[in-house]
Amino acid sequence: MNSKKNQLFLILFIGIVLSSCNGKKYIYELPYQYSSEDFTNAKSNEKEEMSSAYSVVDDNPQGLNDDTLRIKEKYSIIMEVMPKEIRDYKLYSYLDDWIGTPYQKQMLEKQVGVEASYFVQALYSDIYKKTFPKTPDGIFRSKSLQLFTGRTFLKEGDILFFRYDKFRPISDVGIYLHNDRILACTAKGLNIYNFNDEYFQLRYVAAGRLKEKE
């Protein structure tokens, strides 16, 4: 009985020794794949491949200058829209210097006094190279404008016409900006207002847009 146990123990011991030797031999003979230079190059290529897996977003594809980007961001916040939806940079840059100018009849001076129709006349002359009369009804009758009433068609730069005086069918003007925000001149001065306010809705008559050049 003891002889069989001794034989079994001897067989197990030999198996363990052989297994250990074979394991050491496998580790010893495992091929070394990279030299230090090859390893560095391989890691560099790996980083480049990982970088190319991610798309690079260009947030200024038009190459706008810093001042224009500032205007774009500023008015996207005011309009409560994404910056990409602010498209008429010249319009916003122009009105930015005028915001807060007090209302003064028949005046056009930054931060001193302004009447809405005078401002619209100057803006369209300077930005869109189109000359209008300085009165609300004169602008309304201009043959350069395509008139419409539907609010769903409004876009940046459209001229809005209002009636405050029953003796004057077209009493005042404003500029549509974006997301129901308009530029208008009230007793509070030239500023940005919500077109949905009852004050404007009750007085809105129509809108005008420059006709496309034939």
Side-chain angles (χ1 to χ4, degrees):
M1 186 71 179
N2 290 334
S3 176
K4 289 183 177 180
K5 287 183 177 180
N6 291 335
Q7 290 177 359
L8 180 60
F9 176 79
L10 181 62
I11 291 171
L12 289 173
F13 177 76
I14 293 172
I16 291 172
V17 170
L18 290 175
S19 175
S20 176
C21 291
N22 288 336
K24 289 181 179 179
K25 182 178 180 181
Y26 173 76
I27 294 173
Y28 180 78
E29 292 182 354
L30 185 69
Y32 186 67
Q33 296 183 4
Y34 297 107
S35 66
S36 58
E37 182 178 354
D38 291 338
F39 180 79
T40 302
N41 292 336
K43 296 301 290 183
S44 177
N45 292 335
E46 182 181 342
K47 288 181 179 179
E48 290 179 1
E49 290 175 0
M50 290 181 65
S51 298
S52 63
Y54 297 93
S55 59
V56 178
V57 178
D58 184 359
D59 58 357
N60 185 21
Q62 297 169 300
L64 304 176
N65 60 41
D66 290 343
D67 289 338
T68 302
L69 288 174
R70 178 187 64 81
I71 288 292
K72 186 175 183 178
E73 182 176 356
K74 175 181 177 179
Y75 284 92
S76 70
I77 294 172
I78 294 173
M79 304 298 146
E80 298 181 357
V81 297
M82 296 296 290
K84 65 181 180 180
E85 296 186 46
I86 302 298
R87 301 181 180 91
D88 197 337
Y89 314 125
K90 291 182 178 180
L91 169 66
Y92 293 102
S93 296
Y94 189 90
L95 64 85
D96 190 58
D97 293 333
W98 288 86
I99 295 293
T101 301
Y103 167 74
Q104 290 291 337
K105 190 174 181 179
Q106 297 180 348
M107 280 196 66
L108 183 67
E109 189 173 347
K110 293 178 185 178
Q111 305 306 319
V112 176
V114 65
E115 184 172 346
S117 60
Y118 278 52
F119 176 79
V120 170
Q121 193 271 346
L123 183 148
Y124 264 77
S125 177
D126 294 343
I127 301 300
Y128 305 112
K129 309 306 177 185
K130 183 61 63 175
T131 302
F132 291 129
K134 290 184 177 180
T135 60
D137 60 328
I139 298 173
F140 182 79
R141 291 196 303 267
S142 173
K143 294 182 179 180
S144 299
L145 292 179
Q146 176 68 52
L147 300 175
F148 59 95
T149 57
R151 288 185 51 179
T152 56
F153 300 106
L154 289 168
K155 69 177 185 180
E156 290 173 334
D158 286 345
I159 301 174
L160 305 173
F161 298 97
F162 301 98
R163 181 178 184 178
Y164 299 145
D165 186 344
K166 64 180 181 180
F167 299 109
R168 298 169 60 197
I170 303 299
S171 309
D172 204 359
V173 294
I175 297 290
Y176 185 81
L177 299 176
H178 204 72
N179 195 27
D180 287 332
R181 301 297 191 272
I182 66 173
L183 182 77
C185 195
T186 69
K188 297 179 181 179
L190 188 70
N191 222 316
I192 295 173
Y193 300 92
N194 192 328
F195 192 28
N196 294 315
D197 287 350
E198 186 178 12
Y199 178 83
F200 297 108
Q201 287 301 299
L202 292 176
R203 296 165 173 81
Y204 173 65
V205 176
R209 180 178 303 161
L210 284 178
K211 294 179 180 179
E212 295 183 2
K213 295 180 180 179
E214 297 180 354

